[in-house]
Amino acid sequence: MRVVVCLKQVIDPLTPATSLVLDQKAKKIRVGTPAPPVINGFDEQGLEAALRLREADKEAEIVCVSVGEHFNNDVMKRSLAVGADQLILVQDASLDTFDPYPIASALAAVIRQIGGADLVLCGRQGSDWDNALTPYILSDMLGMPLLTLAKRVGVADGKVEIERVLSDGTMTMAATLPAIVTVTSELGTLRMPTVAARLTAARKQPRQIAFAELGAAAASTHPPQVVGLAVPVAGRNCTFIEGADGAAAGARLAETLLHAGTIRLGGER
Amino acid sequence: MSVELALRLLVIAAAFAWAGFRFARLARPLMATASEARLTPVAPRAWGVVINILGHRRLLRKPYAGFLHLFMFFGFLFLLTAVIQILGAGVSPIFDLDWIGGSTWIAFGQNLFALLLLIGVAMAAWQRLVLAPPRFVGSNQTDAAIILGLIATIVIGMLLQNACRIATGGDASAAWRPLSSLIARGLAAAGMSGASAAAAATAFAWIHMLAILVFLVYIPSSKHLHVVVGIPNVYLRDLTPAGRLATSDLEQPRLGLSDIAQLGRKQTLDLYACTECGRCQELCPAYASGKPLSPKKLIMNLRDHLLAAPAGGGARAPLIGGAIEEETVWSCTTCRACMEACPLFIEHVPKIVDMRRHLAMEAASVPEGISGAVLSIEQRGHPWAGTRFSRTDWRHDLDVRVLAPGEKTDVLLWVGCTAALDARAQKIARALVNLLRTANVDFAILGEDEKCTGDVARRTGNDFLFQMQAAANVETLNARSFARIATVCPHCMNTLKNEYGDFGGAYDVVHHSQLLAELIEHGRLPSVADAASEVTFHDPCYLGRYNSEFDAPRAVLEASGAHVVEMERSRERSFCCGGGGGRVFAVEPPDQRVNARRAAQARETGAATIATACPFCLLMLEDGCKSVAGLAAGARTQPVRDIAEILEEIVIRRSTGVSA
Ligand code: SF4
Ligand code: SF4
């Protein structure tokens, strides 16, 4: 079984706002100080799902694919350190974009070029633009069924079965392979690599595929436009919630949060 | 040859053979280990033996237990003459020590020290049965009772043997044995003399000798083994700086400790040396807060695990997850209270960190909060994932010079991740900057080029990451010129000063408390004479126990017009805030929080302010105070402040002319 995990290199979502530089001309977000990027956290969870599948099926092959620009190889090679068999990178300036279409198109082309996949795992969304569209377009391009928001992924008898997270519980879904699955945070974080695996990974090189070789579509015919960028203004407001005892204070806290719209009653999303 | 002599010979030979067999069983795993090459330098090592073994320095920190041990120790030492006499007489009827005073001063000494020993045994029995300090919880009490019983039997047997001999009327040493003579007079009054006394003397001689032989055979499996390995263990103690952990060789196939056979020789000897006295357990904050770690049990469990399987063959149960739980390994704050207290210089922390090294680097099994912090060090160069600040935001309006490569300054201020990135701790850095300005110190910071020193990574077992941090920081530092480094955080100070040497970084490093104390002493910062308020000071482990600095922060407080009231546990015996060893990032179960316990201790002093000199301690204690105050209805929280903040307030007040 070949499992392809799509990884995206993103700006560290924990970069403090004061370190962000907005390029209003190119409509891009940059980090002012030299801080390394990270692998999109949701995608890391996709990789974790793949590693867990391989614990059950030792024969499974894990191929990580990433398309984008300015790759930091040390960062991307973390995928090899935790156990991926292969890392494929496609670099092109056109792939550093808000538009999910060329990204999905490049991913689909890579997957076709390596001879297809039995299972494609993606994070539920990218932490940079939060579009959550690439897996949908990819499923359409590859003609594979799409199962979303998995917190557990299992493969048996040529089928993938997932537990899908709902606001008030989970639902079980299945599809015949090949299929695409997106995973969500509840799946758990990516495991830590051992030092031996890191050292081995450090000696491996990612496989680079030239974008031109893929014959993928460079852009949508009418791509969405980023009109402007702004750093949200973070404000702080401190209120002391008091009550006769812990329980009363807790109830008042819940009420306050409810009124403020921070939380909602069960079932609503 | 008389039958009795033959019997004595046989018994002695059998006992020696048996004891030899039992000692050899202990020696085998020990000799199979790699030696740490700690035989030299001889002079300081030997001097340590003199003051700690003969002088009982650490033992006497507990006067009752110390003196009872002192009595037993010297009693035991002198009564070795009696052991030589009885065993010598056991193998040769003409053996005696008379030619060196066996029936004069040695006889007198034996009487005197026997008395001392008995007093010691009685005090020890009283301690075990009546005082019963909690430090003995988990120790093998039966073993202790057997040992005390054997010692008492040996001594009483000897005294009665001598008394009976005196009662026969034919003992030349009678005049030198006042105690035995006194007993002899009692025996004579009871009608014992001549043949009956001689027979009784023989009987007591047998009891005396048999007790000695039982003792000899028994000690290899007893905590009393320390009579043999105590001296070598103290001699071989670690003489490198307390704050320096050995650097892992990452080229080795095995990283960290996952198999007991990987322990070095002194580390293994430690396991034999433990007396189960519990001095370590008594001071351990992890144990006190109900976590599954007692440094004493850790050593005992490692020892039992080592001896559980035959050396060199057979499969042992796993070390981690078997003999020692993972949770136990992660519970330690590396506060060093245990090592500082141990009379035998047993090294708990290196063993714990070594097991963490296995977990972090080989098993990749690290608890949640800690793994997040370590990953953040790797990804962002600091452990505070989620901070809303960049490394230089704290000084946005202060215009602090950032030292570029090739530039020069007198004092390089090493801010550290916490003081740079935590909103509360930033106030320490800002206060310090104001003080350095007031004192006209030429200083600068590294700005964005400063990276986490790696203390958290190293002490949570990730020496791989620590070494990367160290190499990067050394490169940054060596590209700039400065006379010395002053750090906000004691952990940074410890690492930069004691651990960067292995990476080509040799610096003169001081902690801000030391720099401030020096500036006050030289009159560059003002000092207030009258004590206006009461402040209690919490000693950060990495400033105090690890780097022996207890006075400088107190001097700064006194210069700030504070009267320092001490907590019950302070200075060398200070109780950790709970944040060391990476535990500031760990998820503490609500009922096992070390910081809440320390905060309660600080509040008990009644001092208006709780002072400390470490950003981790500050955050931990502030948090602890809030939770303790929350528990006591209507309780008010004392402010927790860094000594720099306290001094700055005074200095600013003075310069703006506001009266206190
Ligand atoms: S270093 Fe501190 S926390 Fe760790 S075992 Fe020793 S006393 Fe306990
Ligand atoms: S390790 Fe040291 S302090 Fe702890 S019980 Fe053993 S001998 Fe006593």
Side-chain angles (χ1 to χ4, degrees):
Chain A
M1 178 173 69
R2 174 184 285 159
V3 182
V4 167
V5 182
C6 301
L7 302 179
K8 187 174 195 185
Q9 175 181 297
V10 295
I11 287 180
D12 183 354
L14 295 181
T15 308
T18 51
S19 299
L20 293 177
V21 176
L22 304 181
D23 181 343
Q24 296 292 6
K25 227 170 108 217
K27 299 287 186 296
K28 298 257 163 82
I29 305 169
R30 315 264 179 230
V31 179
T33 52
V38 296
I39 298 174
N40 176 33
F42 292 113
D43 295 348
E44 283 193 342
Q45 287 158 346
L47 178 52
E48 176 60 29
L51 294 167
R52 289 182 198 170
L53 284 175
R54 198 177 50 192
E55 277 163 14
D57 173 8
K58 298 270 179 282
E59 298 297 299
E61 180 198 8
I62 301 175
V63 182
C64 291
V65 179
S66 189
V67 305
E69 204 203 8
H70 299 308
F71 280 116
N72 179 322
N73 277 4
D74 288 340
V75 168
M76 298 310 291
K77 274 158 77 174
R78 187 174 187 84
S79 57
L80 296 172
V82 292
D85 298 295
Q86 221 195 114
L87 170 65
I88 298 174
L89 301 179
V90 180
Q91 309 217 35
D92 192 82
S94 68
L95 295 171
D96 178 14
T97 170
F98 172 82
D99 183 2
Y101 186 81
I103 308 258
S105 164
L107 286 171
V110 173
I111 292 170
R112 275 195 215 101
Q113 199 187 71
I114 62 171
D118 298 297
L119 179 66
V120 179
L121 290 164
C122 301
R124 60 180 285 177
Q125 68 202 65
S127 62
D128 48 359
W129 296 112
D130 287 313
N131 279 326
L133 288 172
T134 305
Y136 293 83
I137 304 171
L138 188 59
S139 94
D140 187 44
M141 287 178 164
L142 293 174
M144 292 183 189
L146 173 66
L147 306 180
T148 58
L149 304 179
K151 69 175 235 189
R152 189 188 57 78
V153 183
V155 168
D157 308 324
K159 275 183 151 178
V160 58
E161 191 186 279
I162 69 154
E163 221 174 298
R164 183 172 193 266
V165 176
L166 302 176
S167 59
D168 52 356
T170 59
M171 86 196 255
T172 306
M173 299 176 80
T176 306
L177 295 178
I180 299 189
V181 171
T182 73
V183 302
T184 185
S185 337
E186 284 85 348
L187 189 125
T189 49
L190 178 62
R191 64 196 59 190
M192 299 278 272
T194 66
V195 166
R198 273 165 187 275
L199 295 176
T200 317
R203 285 190 287 272
K204 285 195 200 164
Q205 286 311 320
R207 180 175 156 203
Q208 308 269 357
I209 298 183
F211 180 63
E213 237 177 71
L214 289 173
S220 321
T221 41
H222 47 280
Q225 302 286 329
V226 178
V227 179
L229 293 164
V231 174
V233 185
R236 281 187 168 214
N237 197 348
C238 184
T239 316
F240 284 95
I241 308 281
E242 292 187 15
D245 54 13
R252 288 204 53 190
L253 173 64
E255 226 170 79
T256 313
L257 293 176
L258 206 57
H259 281 144
T262 316
I263 56 169
R264 291 183 196 170
L265 289 180
E268 293 176 43
R269 198 163 239 273
Chain B
M1 196 197 295
S2 75
V3 177
E4 200 215 329
L5 179 61
L7 201 60
R8 276 205 305 249
L9 265 174
L10 191 73
V11 171
I12 291 173
F16 269 83
W18 193 5
F21 171 79
R22 285 169 56 93
F23 274 107
R25 194 173 157 265
L26 292 180
R28 245 173 279 129
L30 192 63
M31 297 326 284
T33 56
S35 141
E36 289 103 333
R38 287 201 190 161
L39 289 171
T40 52
V42 174
R45 292 192 174 281
W47 180 241
V49 171
V50 171
I51 54 173
N52 286 293
I53 303 276
L54 295 181
H56 278 55
R57 195 172 67 177
R58 287 189 171 187
L59 281 166
L60 284 169
R61 286 180 192 159
K62 285 190 177 301
Y64 183 91
F67 275 107
L68 87 82
H69 190 275
L70 195 80
F71 296 161
M72 290 176 69
F73 174 82
F74 285 105
F76 185 88
L77 209 62
F78 200 87
L79 289 202
L80 282 178
T81 56
V83 173
I84 293 167
Q85 274 177 336
I86 190 98
L87 295 182
V91 294
S92 158
I94 56 163
F95 179 90
D96 63 42
L97 291 180
D98 288 355
W99 55 283
I100 51 161
S103 48
T104 56
W105 67 274
I106 291 183
F108 177 74
Q110 284 175 353
N111 250 227
L112 179 73
F113 282 102
L115 187 66
L116 223 52
L117 236 172
L118 285 179
I119 294 173
V121 169
M123 285 172 77
W126 181 262
Q127 174 174 252
R128 292 268 167 184
L129 297 170
V130 183
L131 303 177
R135 64 188 166 97
F136 288 133
V137 171
S139 302
N140 188 339
Q141 302 277 24
T142 319
D143 178 43
I146 290 174
I147 286 293
L148 287 180
L150 277 173
I151 295 175
T153 311
I154 292 171
V155 177
I156 294 170
M158 180 193 77
L159 288 174
L160 289 176
Q161 174 208 351
N162 291 335
C164 290
R165 229 196 274 146
I166 293 167
T168 61
D171 192 335
S173 68
W176 291 89
R177 298 188 194 273
L179 186 59
S180 300
S181 297
L182 195 70
I183 303 170
R185 273 201 288 284
L187 292 176
M192 191 182 271
S193 64
S196 67
T202 310
F204 285 123
W206 267 96
I207 291 174
H208 176 51
M209 184 186 79
L210 285 175
I212 290 172
L213 295 175
V214 170
F215 187 82
L216 183 69
V217 172
Y218 182 70
I219 49 171
S221 59
S222 154
K223 62 150 186 126
H224 234 67
L225 186 57
H226 77 276
V227 300
V228 182
V229 298
I231 292 175
N233 215 59
V234 173
Y235 182 85
L236 296 171
R237 72 196 182 283
D238 190 7
L239 292 185
T240 58
R244 181 182 177 278
L245 283 170
T247 296
S248 272
D249 178 357
L250 299 172
E251 303 295 316
Q252 290 298 315
R254 313 273 305 267
L255 298 174
L257 175 66
S258 56
D259 176 353
I260 194 89
Q262 291 171 292
L263 277 182
R265 189 162 297 162
K266 161 64 167 65
Q267 297 295 323
T268 308
L269 198 64
D270 274 356
L271 310 184
Y272 292 164
C274 177
T275 64
E276 302 176 17
C277 72
R279 281 173 165 79
C280 53
Q281 172 176 300
E282 182 182 39
L283 297 180
C284 174
Y287 181 81
S289 63
K291 296 204 182 63
L293 164 65
S294 148
K296 175 181 77 179
K297 285 298 286 180
L298 179 97
I299 298 296
M300 290 168 67
N301 289 345
L302 287 173
R303 176 196 63 204
D304 295 347
H305 177 72
L306 174 74
L307 297 173
R316 270 195 197 96
L319 172 64
I320 302 176
I324 309 287
E325 292 302 328
E326 274 190 36
E327 210 189 326
T328 301
V329 175
W330 291 114
S331 295
C332 177
T333 70
T334 71
C335 75
R336 201 182 151 87
C338 50
M339 289 179 63
E340 196 60 43
C342 180
L344 287 144
F345 291 81
I346 287 168
E347 296 162 32
H348 313 75
V349 178
K351 293 182 187 68
I352 292 173
V353 171
D354 238 20
M355 287 187 268
R356 289 184 175 184
R357 284 180 174 173
H358 160 71
L359 288 172
M361 295 194 287
E362 283 187 337
S365 171
V366 178
E368 210 182 284
I370 293 175
S371 66
V374 171
L375 181 63
S376 183
I377 295 176
E378 186 180 339
Q379 293 182 329
R380 310 178 185 94
H382 67 74
W384 293 104
T387 176
R388 60 195 164 95
F389 302 103
S390 80
R391 210 176 257 284
T392 47
D393 284 351
W394 65 272
R395 45 119 230 184
H396 61 96
D397 56 343
L398 288 177
D399 188 30
V400 178
R401 179 157 79 100
V402 174
L403 196 67
E407 287 184 356
K408 210 175 153 181
T409 183
D410 186 24
V411 171
L412 177 69
L413 180 60
W414 185 279
V415 185
C417 305
T418 309
L421 300 166
D422 178 88
R424 170 66 188 90
Q426 285 174 349
K427 294 185 183 154
I428 310 173
R430 294 174 61 85
L432 199 52
V433 163
N434 285 338
L435 289 169
L436 296 182
R437 288 247 162 92
T438 309
N440 282 323
V441 175
D442 169 32
F443 71 99
I445 59 171
L446 288 177
E448 294 290 345
D449 286 345
E450 185 186 299
K451 296 282 170 258
C452 174
T453 57
D455 160 75
V456 168
R458 170 162 265 200
R459 283 169 178 77
T460 57
N462 197 332
D463 222 48
F464 174 76
L465 180 57
F466 168 75
Q467 293 183 25
M468 294 203 307
Q469 296 301 116
N473 281 324
V474 165
E475 197 186 317
T476 305
L477 289 167
N478 289 356
R480 293 153 171 87
S481 309
F482 46 84
R484 55 181 169 166
I485 303 176
T487 71
V488 177
C489 173
H491 295 258
C492 298
M493 190 254 286
N494 181 65
T495 298
L496 290 167
K497 180 174 162 183
N498 298 319
E499 299 190 308
Y500 274 20
D502 286 356
F503 305 89
Y507 314 112
D508 183 358
V509 189
V510 292
H511 178 251
H512 73 272
S513 62
Q514 296 167 320
L515 181 61
L516 293 177
E518 182 191 302
L519 293 172
I520 293 165
E521 202 187 310
H522 293 169
R524 291 170 68 182
L525 282 175
S527 143
V528 181
D530 45 329
S533 68
E534 291 203 329
V535 174
T536 188
F537 180 71
H538 164 78
D539 286 284
C541 305
Y542 279 78
L543 182 63
R545 265 193 296 268
Y546 276 104
N547 287 289
S548 309
E549 186 55 83
F550 301 104
D551 298 330
R554 288 176 170 79
V556 173
L557 286 173
E558 269 149 27
S560 317
H563 171 63
V564 182
V565 285
E566 297 291 354
M567 286 180 249
E568 203 253 314
R569 297 264 310 260
S570 69
R571 300 179 76 97
E572 286 91 347
R573 296 179 73 249
S574 176
F575 188 95
C576 178
C577 71
R583 287 211 57 90
V584 65
F585 301 102
V587 185
E588 291 258 274
D591 56 336
Q592 293 182 356
R593 294 172 58 182
V594 175
N595 61 346
R597 281 165 180 82
R598 185 53 166 171
Q601 293 168 14
R603 288 161 61 91
E604 263 165 32
T605 62
T609 306
I610 301 168
T612 188
C614 167
F616 283 157
C617 294
L618 183 96
L619 299 182
M620 294 300 282
L621 291 178
E622 237 182 23
D623 190 52
C625 278
K626 279 182 201 146
S627 68
V628 180
L631 293 178
R636 205 179 50 85
T637 316
Q638 292 90 335
V640 182
R641 309 183 69 193
D642 189 274
I643 55 162
E645 296 177 297
I646 295 174
L647 181 64
E648 188 219 14
E649 192 184 31
I650 296 298
V651 170
I652 300 295
R653 206 185 268 160
R654 178 166 289 212
S655 65
T656 53
V658 182
S659 66

